[in-house]
Amino acid sequence: MRFAPSRTNPLTIGIAAGSLFLLLVVILFFFAVHVLDLSGKIEKRNEMLLDQLRDNDSEIEFLKQNLLLLAQDENAVRGAVKLPTEPYPILEPQPVEPAEVEDPDAVYLNGIDTLLRERDKEISEAKFRQLLASPLLAQAARSGGFARVEKQPATVVLMKSGRAYFTLTIDPSSQTVRTTDFLGRQLETLKLDSRFLSFLRARTPLLAAHFAQLSSALARFSAAIDDPGVLRALSTRKLALSRPIESSGGYVSFLTRGGTRLLTVRLDERSLQVTDGAKRYPRVSDFAAGFVSDVDRLDLRTPEESRVEEAKAEIVALARDKVVMSTLAARRIRFVTTPREDADYYHYDFEDVDGRRIGSFAVAKGLGGIVLMDSADVPIGPLRPPVDEDLPKKPDAP
Protein backbone atom coordinates (compact mmCIF):
# COMPACT_ATOMS: atom_id res chain seq x y z
CA MET A 1 0.00 0.00 0.00
CA ARG A 2 1.56 3.26 -1.01
CA PHE A 3 1.11 6.72 0.63
CA ALA A 4 1.45 9.89 -1.38
CA PRO A 5 4.17 12.26 0.01
CA SER A 6 2.81 15.31 1.90
CA ARG A 7 3.58 18.72 0.50
CA THR A 8 4.33 21.73 2.75
CA ASN A 9 2.54 24.92 1.93
CA PRO A 10 5.08 27.61 0.97
CA LEU A 11 2.90 30.26 2.52
CA THR A 12 2.99 28.48 5.87
CA ILE A 13 6.79 28.31 5.77
CA GLY A 14 7.04 32.04 4.96
CA ILE A 15 4.75 32.96 7.85
CA ALA A 16 6.74 30.79 10.27
CA ALA A 17 10.07 32.28 9.17
CA GLY A 18 8.71 35.83 9.45
CA SER A 19 7.36 35.14 12.92
CA LEU A 20 10.71 33.75 14.04
CA PHE A 21 12.60 36.75 12.65
CA LEU A 22 10.17 39.13 14.32
CA LEU A 23 10.65 37.31 17.60
CA LEU A 24 14.43 37.63 17.28
CA VAL A 25 14.12 41.35 16.54
CA VAL A 26 11.92 41.84 19.60
CA ILE A 27 14.35 39.91 21.81
CA LEU A 28 17.33 41.90 20.50
CA PHE A 29 15.43 45.17 21.01
CA PHE A 30 14.61 44.38 24.63
CA PHE A 31 18.20 43.22 25.21
CA ALA A 32 19.58 46.44 23.70
CA VAL A 33 17.24 48.55 25.83
CA HIS A 34 18.35 46.67 28.93
CA VAL A 35 22.04 47.10 28.04
CA LEU A 36 21.62 50.82 27.40
CA ASP A 37 19.79 51.25 30.70
CA LEU A 38 22.50 49.35 32.55
CA SER A 39 25.21 51.37 30.82
CA GLY A 40 23.50 54.63 31.82
CA LYS A 41 23.30 53.51 35.44
CA ILE A 42 26.99 52.56 35.42
CA GLU A 43 27.96 55.92 33.88
CA LYS A 44 25.92 57.82 36.48
CA ARG A 45 27.55 55.84 39.29
CA ASN A 46 31.01 56.55 37.86
CA GLU A 47 30.21 60.24 37.71
CA MET A 48 29.05 60.15 41.32
CA LEU A 49 32.29 58.42 42.35
CA LEU A 50 34.40 60.97 40.44
CA ASP A 51 32.50 63.86 42.02
CA GLN A 52 33.03 62.35 45.44
CA LEU A 53 36.75 61.89 44.75
CA ARG A 54 37.01 65.49 43.55
CA ASP A 55 35.26 66.67 46.70
CA ASN A 56 37.63 64.59 48.83
CA ASP A 57 40.67 66.02 47.03
CA SER A 58 39.37 69.54 47.56
CA GLU A 59 38.78 68.87 51.24
CA ILE A 60 42.24 67.34 51.63
CA GLU A 61 43.87 70.29 49.83
CA PHE A 62 41.85 72.70 51.99
CA LEU A 63 43.00 70.90 55.13
CA LYS A 64 46.61 70.95 53.92
CA GLN A 65 46.47 74.70 53.27
CA ASN A 66 44.98 75.34 56.70
CA LEU A 67 47.61 73.16 58.37
CA LEU A 68 50.30 75.01 56.43
CA LEU A 69 48.97 78.39 57.57
CA LEU A 70 48.66 77.19 61.16
CA ALA A 71 52.23 75.84 61.14
CA GLN A 72 53.56 79.08 59.64
CA ASP A 73 51.69 81.21 62.17
CA GLU A 74 52.89 79.02 65.03
CA ASN A 75 56.54 79.33 63.99
CA ALA A 76 56.13 83.06 63.34
CA VAL A 77 54.96 83.56 66.92
CA ARG A 78 57.67 81.28 68.31
CA GLY A 79 60.33 83.09 66.30
CA ALA A 80 59.04 86.49 67.43
CA VAL A 81 59.45 85.56 71.10
CA LYS A 82 62.87 83.98 70.34
CA LEU A 83 61.72 80.41 70.89
CA PRO A 84 63.03 77.67 68.58
CA THR A 85 60.70 76.89 65.69
CA GLU A 86 59.14 73.48 65.26
CA PRO A 87 60.26 71.32 62.28
CA TYR A 88 56.82 70.74 60.72
CA PRO A 89 57.21 68.35 57.76
CA ILE A 90 54.61 70.33 55.82
CA LEU A 91 56.90 73.38 56.02
CA GLU A 92 60.00 71.50 54.99
CA PRO A 93 59.17 69.02 52.23
CA GLN A 94 62.02 66.74 51.47
CA PRO A 95 63.38 67.47 48.00
CA VAL A 96 63.61 64.63 45.58
CA GLU A 97 67.26 64.43 44.66
CA PRO A 98 67.97 63.35 41.11
CA ALA A 99 69.74 60.09 40.79
CA GLU A 100 73.42 60.57 40.26
CA VAL A 101 74.66 59.28 36.98
CA GLU A 102 78.13 57.95 37.39
CA ASP A 103 80.48 59.06 34.69
CA PRO A 104 82.57 56.04 33.75
CA ASP A 105 85.31 58.36 32.48
CA ALA A 106 85.52 60.49 35.64
CA VAL A 107 88.24 58.44 37.31
CA TYR A 108 90.37 58.58 34.18
CA LEU A 109 89.80 62.31 33.67
CA ASN A 110 90.80 62.96 37.28
CA GLY A 111 93.92 60.90 36.71
CA ILE A 112 94.78 62.96 33.63
CA ASP A 113 94.27 66.21 35.62
CA THR A 114 96.63 64.91 38.30
CA LEU A 115 99.26 64.10 35.68
CA LEU A 116 98.94 67.55 34.12
CA ARG A 117 99.28 69.26 37.49
CA GLU A 118 102.37 67.23 38.26
CA ARG A 119 103.81 68.09 34.86
CA ASP A 120 103.12 71.83 35.38
CA LYS A 121 104.73 71.62 38.80
CA GLU A 122 107.84 69.99 37.36
CA ILE A 123 108.02 72.63 34.61
CA SER A 124 107.66 75.41 37.17
CA GLU A 125 110.37 73.93 39.37
CA ALA A 126 112.70 73.51 36.40
CA LYS A 127 112.06 77.04 35.25
CA PHE A 128 112.64 78.32 38.77
CA ARG A 129 116.01 76.56 38.86
CA GLN A 130 116.85 78.23 35.55
CA LEU A 131 115.77 81.55 37.03
CA LEU A 132 118.12 81.11 39.98
CA ALA A 133 120.98 80.32 37.61
CA SER A 134 120.19 83.15 35.20
CA PRO A 135 123.12 85.52 34.57
CA LEU A 136 120.64 88.39 34.22
CA LEU A 137 119.36 87.82 37.76
CA ALA A 138 122.91 87.85 39.08
CA GLN A 139 123.62 91.00 37.06
CA ALA A 140 120.47 92.72 38.36
CA ALA A 141 121.30 91.88 41.95
CA ARG A 142 124.89 93.04 41.57
CA SER A 143 124.18 96.29 39.74
CA GLY A 144 121.26 97.27 41.98
CA GLY A 145 122.93 96.33 45.23
CA PHE A 146 120.24 93.79 46.07
CA ALA A 147 120.52 90.75 48.30
CA ARG A 148 118.84 87.70 46.77
CA VAL A 149 116.59 85.79 49.20
CA GLU A 150 114.92 82.51 48.21
CA LYS A 151 111.55 81.69 49.73
CA GLN A 152 109.02 78.90 49.33
CA PRO A 153 107.12 78.20 47.25
CA ALA A 154 109.37 79.04 44.28
CA THR A 155 109.94 82.71 45.15
CA VAL A 156 112.96 84.99 44.94
CA VAL A 157 112.98 88.36 46.72
CA LEU A 158 115.43 91.15 45.92
CA MET A 159 116.14 92.95 49.20
CA LYS A 160 117.95 96.18 50.03
CA SER A 161 118.34 97.74 53.48
CA GLY A 162 115.88 95.22 54.86
CA ARG A 163 113.18 96.17 52.34
CA ALA A 164 111.66 93.83 49.76
CA TYR A 165 111.96 95.79 46.53
CA PHE A 166 111.03 93.04 44.02
CA THR A 167 109.48 89.56 44.21
CA LEU A 168 109.95 87.01 41.40
CA THR A 169 107.69 83.97 40.97
CA ILE A 170 106.73 81.47 38.26
CA ASP A 171 103.08 81.57 37.22
CA PRO A 172 101.97 77.89 37.28
CA SER A 173 99.40 78.24 34.49
CA SER A 174 101.25 80.39 31.95
CA GLN A 175 104.78 79.39 33.10
CA THR A 176 105.80 83.04 32.81
CA VAL A 177 108.21 84.84 35.11
CA ARG A 178 106.23 87.38 37.15
CA THR A 179 108.16 90.28 38.71
CA THR A 180 106.21 92.34 41.26
CA ASP A 181 107.58 95.42 42.98
CA PHE A 182 106.73 96.53 46.53
CA LEU A 183 103.95 98.88 45.35
CA GLY A 184 102.24 96.19 43.27
CA ARG A 185 103.48 97.05 39.77
CA GLN A 186 104.03 93.85 37.74
CA LEU A 187 105.97 92.63 34.72
CA GLU A 188 105.41 89.21 33.09
CA THR A 189 107.95 87.73 30.66
CA LEU A 190 108.57 84.30 29.23
CA LYS A 191 112.10 84.52 30.64
CA LEU A 192 114.44 87.07 32.14
CA ASP A 193 115.48 89.46 29.41
CA SER A 194 116.28 93.11 28.81
CA ARG A 195 112.73 94.14 29.74
CA PHE A 196 113.33 92.73 33.22
CA LEU A 197 116.48 94.85 33.65
CA SER A 198 114.66 97.94 32.35
CA PHE A 199 111.79 97.35 34.76
CA LEU A 200 114.19 97.16 37.71
CA ARG A 201 116.12 100.26 36.63
CA ALA A 202 112.90 102.27 36.20
CA ARG A 203 111.20 101.19 39.42
CA THR A 204 114.13 101.10 41.87
CA PRO A 205 114.45 104.92 42.33
CA LEU A 206 110.69 105.22 42.85
CA LEU A 207 110.73 102.44 45.44
CA ALA A 208 113.73 103.97 47.20
CA ALA A 209 111.86 107.28 47.45
CA HIS A 210 108.79 105.51 48.81
CA PHE A 211 110.79 103.66 51.45
CA ALA A 212 112.34 106.99 52.52
CA GLN A 213 108.84 108.43 52.90
CA LEU A 214 107.78 105.33 54.84
CA SER A 215 110.69 105.74 57.27
CA SER A 216 109.79 109.40 57.74
CA ALA A 217 106.11 108.56 58.25
CA LEU A 218 107.01 105.91 60.80
CA ALA A 219 109.15 108.43 62.70
CA ARG A 220 106.29 110.96 62.71
CA PHE A 221 103.87 108.20 63.76
CA SER A 222 106.07 107.34 66.74
CA ALA A 223 106.46 111.02 67.58
CA ALA A 224 102.67 111.52 67.51
CA ILE A 225 102.23 108.70 70.00
CA ASP A 226 104.74 110.40 72.33
CA ASP A 227 103.22 113.86 71.87
CA PRO A 228 102.49 115.46 75.29
CA GLY A 229 98.99 116.47 74.20
CA VAL A 230 98.19 112.91 73.10
CA LEU A 231 99.62 111.48 76.31
CA ARG A 232 97.52 113.87 78.45
CA ALA A 233 94.34 113.04 76.53
CA LEU A 234 94.99 109.33 76.92
CA SER A 235 95.91 109.63 80.60
CA THR A 236 92.72 111.55 81.36
CA ARG A 237 90.71 108.69 79.93
CA LYS A 238 92.93 106.01 81.51
CA LEU A 239 94.07 104.91 78.07
CA ALA A 240 97.49 104.01 76.66
CA LEU A 241 98.85 103.80 73.12
CA SER A 242 101.66 101.28 72.58
CA ARG A 243 104.81 101.81 70.58
CA PRO A 244 104.32 100.86 66.89
CA ILE A 245 105.47 97.42 65.85
CA GLU A 246 105.87 95.97 62.38
CA SER A 247 102.92 93.93 61.21
CA SER A 248 101.55 92.51 57.97
CA GLY A 249 101.03 95.46 55.64
CA GLY A 250 102.50 98.13 57.89
CA TYR A 251 102.97 99.17 61.51
CA VAL A 252 100.42 98.98 64.30
CA SER A 253 99.94 100.56 67.71
CA PHE A 254 97.36 99.28 70.20
CA LEU A 255 95.05 101.50 72.24
CA THR A 256 94.51 99.81 75.61
CA ARG A 257 92.79 100.36 78.94
CA GLY A 258 94.01 98.40 81.93
CA GLY A 259 95.88 96.02 79.64
CA THR A 260 92.75 95.28 77.55
CA ARG A 261 93.15 96.01 73.85
CA LEU A 262 90.40 98.32 72.60
CA LEU A 263 91.54 99.59 69.21
CA THR A 264 94.28 99.11 66.60
CA VAL A 265 95.90 102.17 65.04
CA ARG A 266 97.63 101.22 61.75
CA LEU A 267 100.15 102.93 59.48
CA ASP A 268 99.80 101.40 56.01
CA GLU A 269 103.23 100.78 54.47
CA ARG A 270 102.05 101.38 50.91
CA SER A 271 99.48 104.20 51.09
CA LEU A 272 101.16 105.82 54.17
CA GLN A 273 97.68 106.43 55.57
CA VAL A 274 96.78 105.99 59.25
CA THR A 275 93.57 104.35 60.40
CA ASP A 276 92.00 103.96 63.82
CA GLY A 277 88.92 101.81 63.57
CA ALA A 278 86.69 103.34 60.88
CA LYS A 279 88.53 106.70 60.76
CA ARG A 280 91.14 107.18 58.03
CA TYR A 281 93.79 109.91 58.07
CA PRO A 282 95.40 110.60 54.64
CA ARG A 283 98.75 111.54 56.24
CA VAL A 284 100.47 110.99 59.56
CA SER A 285 100.39 114.75 60.18
CA ASP A 286 96.57 114.61 59.96
CA PHE A 287 96.54 111.84 62.52
CA ALA A 288 98.81 113.79 64.90
CA ALA A 289 96.54 116.85 64.67
CA GLY A 290 93.18 115.06 64.84
CA PHE A 291 93.60 112.07 67.13
CA VAL A 292 93.26 114.00 70.42
CA SER A 293 89.98 115.62 69.35
CA ASP A 294 88.73 112.29 67.97
CA VAL A 295 89.40 110.19 71.07
CA ASP A 296 86.01 111.00 72.57
CA ARG A 297 84.06 109.71 69.57
CA LEU A 298 85.93 106.37 69.42
CA ASP A 299 84.09 103.23 70.44
CA LEU A 300 86.31 102.21 73.33
CA ARG A 301 84.24 99.28 74.54
CA THR A 302 85.89 95.90 74.76
CA PRO A 303 84.58 93.24 72.34
CA GLU A 304 82.85 91.56 75.29
CA GLU A 305 81.15 94.81 76.30
CA SER A 306 80.01 95.40 72.73
CA ARG A 307 78.48 91.92 72.50
CA VAL A 308 76.60 92.38 75.78
CA GLU A 309 75.26 95.81 74.79
CA GLU A 310 74.13 94.51 71.40
CA ALA A 311 72.30 91.59 73.02
CA LYS A 312 70.60 93.90 75.55
CA ALA A 313 69.48 96.27 72.78
CA GLU A 314 68.13 93.33 70.78
CA ILE A 315 65.92 92.24 73.69
CA VAL A 316 64.68 95.76 74.50
CA ALA A 317 63.73 96.17 70.82
CA LEU A 318 61.12 93.41 71.31
CA ALA A 319 58.96 95.97 73.11
CA ARG A 320 58.49 97.70 69.73
CA ASP A 321 57.64 94.47 67.90
CA LYS A 322 53.87 94.38 67.28
CA VAL A 323 53.73 90.60 66.83
CA VAL A 324 55.58 89.93 70.08
CA MET A 325 53.62 92.45 72.12
CA SER A 326 50.24 91.33 70.75
CA THR A 327 51.15 87.73 71.57
CA LEU A 328 52.04 88.71 75.14
CA ALA A 329 48.94 90.89 75.50
CA ALA A 330 46.69 88.02 74.37
CA ARG A 331 48.15 85.93 77.18
CA ARG A 332 48.09 88.83 79.66
CA ILE A 333 51.85 88.78 80.12
CA ARG A 334 53.93 91.87 80.91
CA PHE A 335 57.41 92.35 79.46
CA VAL A 336 59.82 94.26 81.73
CA THR A 337 62.42 96.15 79.68
CA THR A 338 64.43 97.38 82.69
CA PRO A 339 66.92 94.58 83.39
CA ARG A 340 67.23 92.85 86.73
CA GLU A 341 70.92 92.19 87.39
CA ASP A 342 72.70 89.42 89.25
CA ALA A 343 76.31 88.26 89.28
CA ASP A 344 76.15 86.53 85.90
CA TYR A 345 73.20 87.88 83.92
CA TYR A 346 71.01 90.84 82.98
CA HIS A 347 67.43 89.51 83.27
CA TYR A 348 64.50 90.89 81.24
CA ASP A 349 61.50 89.44 83.05
CA PHE A 350 58.06 88.26 81.94
CA GLU A 351 55.33 88.69 84.60
CA ASP A 352 51.72 87.54 84.85
CA VAL A 353 48.79 89.78 85.80
CA ASP A 354 49.56 89.29 89.51
CA GLY A 355 53.17 90.43 89.05
CA ARG A 356 54.64 86.96 89.47
CA ARG A 357 57.75 86.27 87.39
CA ILE A 358 57.24 83.42 84.93
CA GLY A 359 60.71 83.57 83.37
CA SER A 360 63.10 85.87 81.57
CA PHE A 361 65.39 86.48 78.64
CA ALA A 362 68.84 86.78 80.20
CA VAL A 363 72.02 88.26 78.70
CA ALA A 364 75.21 86.56 79.93
CA LYS A 365 77.74 89.07 81.21
CA GLY A 366 81.04 89.09 79.36
CA LEU A 367 79.69 86.78 76.66
CA GLY A 368 76.66 88.40 75.08
CA GLY A 369 74.68 85.19 74.67
CA ILE A 370 70.91 85.27 75.32
CA VAL A 371 69.51 82.52 77.55
CA LEU A 372 65.91 81.53 78.32
CA MET A 373 65.39 81.32 82.11
CA ASP A 374 62.53 79.84 84.12
CA SER A 375 60.82 81.56 87.06
CA ALA A 376 63.62 80.43 89.43
CA ASP A 377 66.40 81.83 87.16
CA VAL A 378 67.47 78.35 86.10
CA PRO A 379 68.62 78.22 82.44
CA ILE A 380 66.24 76.37 80.12
CA GLY A 381 68.35 76.75 76.99
CA PRO A 382 70.16 79.28 74.77
CA LEU A 383 68.16 81.60 72.52
CA ARG A 384 71.29 83.02 70.90
CA PRO A 385 74.59 81.20 71.50
CA PRO A 386 77.43 83.33 72.86
CA VAL A 387 80.87 83.54 71.28
CA ASP A 388 82.19 81.54 74.22
CA GLU A 389 80.19 78.38 74.72
CA ASP A 390 81.15 78.23 78.42
CA LEU A 391 78.13 80.01 79.91
CA PRO A 392 78.21 81.10 83.55
CA LYS A 393 76.46 78.34 85.40
CA LYS A 394 73.59 78.95 87.83
CA PRO A 395 73.19 76.65 90.85
CA ASP A 396 70.46 74.07 90.61
CA ALA A 397 67.16 75.07 92.11
CA PRO A 398 66.59 73.55 95.54
Side-chain angles (χ1 to χ4, degrees), residues 13-29:
I13 296 174
I15 294 173
S19 299
L20 180 61
F21 177 76
L22 181 62
L23 178 62
L24 290 174
V25 170
V26 171
I27 292 173
L28 289 174
F29 174 76

Side-chain angles (χ1 to χ4, degrees), residues 71-184:
Q72 289 174 337
D73 290 344
E74 173 73 11
N75 275 343
V77 173
R78 293 179 68 87
V81 297
K82 305 298 182 181
L83 290 174
T85 58
E86 293 294 335
Y88 295 105
I90 194 172
L91 294 177
E92 300 177 359
Q94 297 297 322
V96 178
E97 297 183 358
E100 294 185 1
V101 179
E102 185 177 354
D103 184 358
D105 297 330
V107 64
Y108 302 108
L109 294 174
N110 291 335
I112 293 173
D113 286 341
T114 300
L115 292 176
L116 292 176
R117 285 195 300 270
E118 288 298 317
R119 183 207 60 178
D120 291 344
K121 181 180 177 182
E122 291 176 359
I123 294 175
S124 297
E125 291 175 350
K127 196 157 191 175
F128 184 67
R129 289 192 296 269
Q130 293 174 3
L131 175 66
L132 294 179
S134 171
L136 278 178
L137 181 60
Q139 178 185 343
R142 186 171 55 255
S143 61
F146 296 114
R148 195 175 70 177
V149 179
E150 298 177 21
K151 295 185 177 181
Q152 294 297 330
T155 303
V156 177
V157 181
L158 298 180
M159 307 279 297
K160 183 190 293 187
S161 302
R163 303 288 188 184
Y165 274 62
F166 300 97
T167 301
L168 284 73
T169 58
I170 305 296
D171 185 89
S173 58
S174 63
Q175 299 299 334
T176 56
V177 179
R178 178 178 295 162
T179 305
T180 307
D181 73 11
F182 180 79
L183 295 177

Side-chain angles (χ1 to χ4, degrees), residues 157-297:
V157 181
L158 298 180
M159 307 279 297
K160 183 190 293 187
S161 302
R163 303 288 188 184
Y165 274 62
F166 300 97
T167 301
L168 284 73
T169 58
I170 305 296
D171 185 89
S173 58
S174 63
Q175 299 299 334
T176 56
V177 179
R178 178 178 295 162
T179 305
T180 307
D181 73 11
F182 180 79
L183 295 177
R185 184 69 65 86
Q186 289 187 346
L187 171 71
E188 289 196 13
T189 56
L190 292 176
K191 62 179 181 178
L192 294 186
D193 53 23
S194 58
R195 289 176 298 168
F196 168 71
L197 295 177
S198 298
F199 181 74
L200 265 59
R201 281 195 296 266
R203 298 296 298 170
T204 296
L206 300 175
L207 296 175
H210 176 81
F211 287 129
Q213 292 175 352
L214 176 57
S215 297
S216 177
L218 179 58
R220 292 196 302 273
F221 185 46
S222 299
I225 292 174
D226 293 332
D227 181 80
V230 173
L231 293 177
R232 281 195 301 272
L234 295 176
S235 177
T236 301
R237 297 164 179 79
K238 297 181 180 179
L239 300 171
L241 197 57
S242 68
R243 302 292 303 168
I245 60 174
E246 190 170 3
S247 179
S248 175
Y251 297 85
V252 296
S253 178
F254 300 109
L255 187 67
T256 59
R257 176 190 288 137
T260 300
R261 186 180 299 176
L262 303 177
L263 187 70
T264 300
V265 183
R266 178 181 299 276
L267 170 64
D268 188 274
E269 64 183 2
R270 289 179 171 80
S271 68
L272 304 183
Q273 295 179 341
V274 179
T275 57
D276 59 29
K279 183 66 179 289
R280 184 181 300 274
Y281 304 90
R283 295 177 299 274
V284 177
S285 58
D286 299 323
F287 166 74
F291 181 71
V292 172
S293 61
D294 289 340
V295 167
D296 289 332
R297 57 95 192 154

Side-chain angles (χ1 to χ4, degrees), residues 33 70 72 119 124 264 266 299-300 337 361 366-367 381:
V33 170
L70 288 172
Q72 289 174 337
R119 183 207 60 178
S124 297
T264 300
R266 178 181 299 276
D299 183 0
L300 300 179
T337 57
F361 291 164
L367 299 173

Side-chain angles (χ1 to χ4, degrees), residues 347-387:
H347 296 267
Y348 294 83
D349 293 328
F350 295 95
E351 298 176 348
D352 62 16
V353 292
D354 297 321
R356 291 189 296 264
R357 186 168 68 245
I358 63 175
S360 66
F361 291 164
V363 177
K365 294 183 176 180
L367 299 173
I370 303 175
V371 182
L372 181 64
M373 296 282 190
D374 67 8
S375 58
D377 286 348
V378 176
I380 297 175
L383 293 178
R384 190 186 74 181
V387 175

